[in-house]
Amino acid sequence: MVSVTTMFVFLVLLLVVFTWVPAVHAQGHDHQPPRSLAADKAALLQFKNGIIEDPFSTLSNWNDSVDVCRFNGVRCDRTHHHRVSQLILEESQLVGLLSPFLSKLTGLRVLWIVNSHLFGTIPHEFSSLRHLKFLRLDGNNLTGPTPDSFALLCNLKILLLLDNKLSGTLSPAFFSNWSSSLEILDVSDNLFFGEIPVEIGNCIN
């Protein structure tokens, strides 16, 4: 029994060593971030380039010399995916374009940019954020329709778009595809028109 136990422990140690060493080697000696995090950082810096005013210097530490996971308002999932998982900017009063570059953050679970002065339309590219669960863009100056491609965000639990200047109708496909996930929806204080789709009754939560 002792010999079998010893052999089992030895095999487990070998497994740990041979899985850990390649990971360390892949990182190199200069501690470069994983490629996915580097791409996320580039996307965030591109978003920053579209910001005209930052009165509270919220994005002051968003630069090449800072680890992206230390950017103000940014949280990362280093354990499983090595991706930016949350972007939360509340009451920052940012002025600028709601940039489609944010759609490159495909590991996002939470996207909150609340009570700023972002303008433009909601980019249809946001449909690539397939892991997104919480989306808040309330209190901005967004215009135009809500992209039909939002129906692809089938993990969405909370969608708050209130207090903008959005217009058009709400697609029935939203409520068909969000039927098992959506819990909270607020699109008040906009310029939407037309009937509320009967498919909203499919949203059981």
Side-chain angles (χ1 to χ4, degrees), residues 19 24 28 37 50 85 99-100 105 119 124 130 134 136 148 157 168 186 189 197 205:
T19 54
V24 172
L37 272 180
S85 59
S99 169
L105 304 174
F119 54 79
H124 67 85
R130 302 298 174 85
F134 307 101
R136 290 190 60 187
D148 289 344
K157 291 180 177 291
D186 193 340
D189 293 318
N205 295 314

Side-chain angles (χ1 to χ4, degrees), residues 130-203:
R130 302 298 174 85
H131 299 291
L132 200 62
K133 294 184 178 182
F134 307 101
L135 176 58
R136 290 190 60 187
L137 297 172
D138 42 299
N140 283 285
N141 295 316
L142 300 173
T143 58
T146 305
D148 289 344
S149 57
F150 260 31
L152 298 173
L153 302 178
C154 56
N155 291 308
L156 206 58
K157 291 180 177 291
I158 295 176
L159 176 61
L160 303 182
L161 301 176
L162 63 151
D163 196 17
N164 279 284
K165 299 174 183 177
L166 299 169
S167 59
T169 60
L170 296 176
S171 170
F174 293 165
F175 305 107
S176 297
N177 288 16
W178 301 340
S179 59
S180 61
S181 62
L182 191 66
E183 297 176 6
I184 299 175
L185 170 70
D186 193 340
V187 295
S188 58
D189 293 318
N190 280 289
L191 302 172
F192 292 116
F193 58 84
E195 297 183 353
I196 297 174
V198 296
E199 287 82 358
I200 196 170
N202 298 333
C203 297

Side-chain angles (χ1 to χ4, degrees), residues 9-23:
V9 172
F10 177 73
L11 290 173
V12 169
L13 287 174
L14 278 179
L15 180 62
V16 170
V17 169
F18 282 107
T19 54
W20 178 74
V21 169

Side-chain angles (χ1 to χ4, degrees), residues 7 13 36 47 60 71 74 129 135-136 154 164 182 196 204:
M7 182 62 69
L13 287 174
S36 53
F47 165 73
S60 61
F71 281 12
V74 172
L129 302 176
L135 176 58
R136 290 190 60 187
C154 56
N164 279 284
L182 191 66
I196 297 174
I204 57 175

Side-chain angles (χ1 to χ4, degrees), residues 77-143:
D77 178 1
R78 293 182 183 271
T79 306
H80 299 102
H81 306 290
H82 294 288
R83 299 300 306 271
V84 169
S85 59
Q86 298 183 29
L87 175 58
I88 301 177
L89 301 171
E90 293 193 79
E91 307 287 348
S92 56
Q93 300 296 309
L94 298 174
V95 179
L97 182 69
L98 180 60
S99 169
F101 288 118
L102 293 179
S103 66
K104 296 182 179 181
L105 304 174
T106 53
L108 273 184
R109 267 65 175 174
V110 178
L111 175 56
W112 289 10
I113 307 179
V114 179
N115 292 333
S116 277
H117 303 283
L118 297 185
F119 54 79
T121 59
I122 299 176
H124 67 85
E125 291 92 345
F126 277 18
S127 62
S128 64
L129 302 176
R130 302 298 174 85
H131 299 291
L132 200 62
K133 294 184 178 182
F134 307 101
L135 176 58
R136 290 190 60 187
L137 297 172
D138 42 299
N140 283 285
N141 295 316
L142 300 173
T143 58

Side-chain angles (χ1 to χ4, degrees), residues 1-67:
M1 180 63 70
V2 174
S3 62
V4 172
T5 303
T6 302
M7 182 62 69
F8 176 77
V9 172
F10 177 73
L11 290 173
V12 169
L13 287 174
L14 278 179
L15 180 62
V16 170
V17 169
F18 282 107
T19 54
W20 178 74
V21 169
V24 172
H25 182 266
Q27 291 177 7
H29 297 291
D30 55 355
H31 303 289
Q32 292 294 318
R35 182 176 299 176
S36 53
L37 272 180
D40 286 351
K41 183 176 187 177
L44 288 169
L45 292 177
Q46 288 173 314
F47 165 73
K48 180 183 178 181
N49 287 339
I51 299 300
I52 302 169
E53 294 182 22
D54 181 7
F56 302 130
S57 299
T58 303
L59 309 183
S60 61
N61 73 336
W62 285 33
N63 57 65
D64 286 323
S65 64
V66 178
D67 181 347

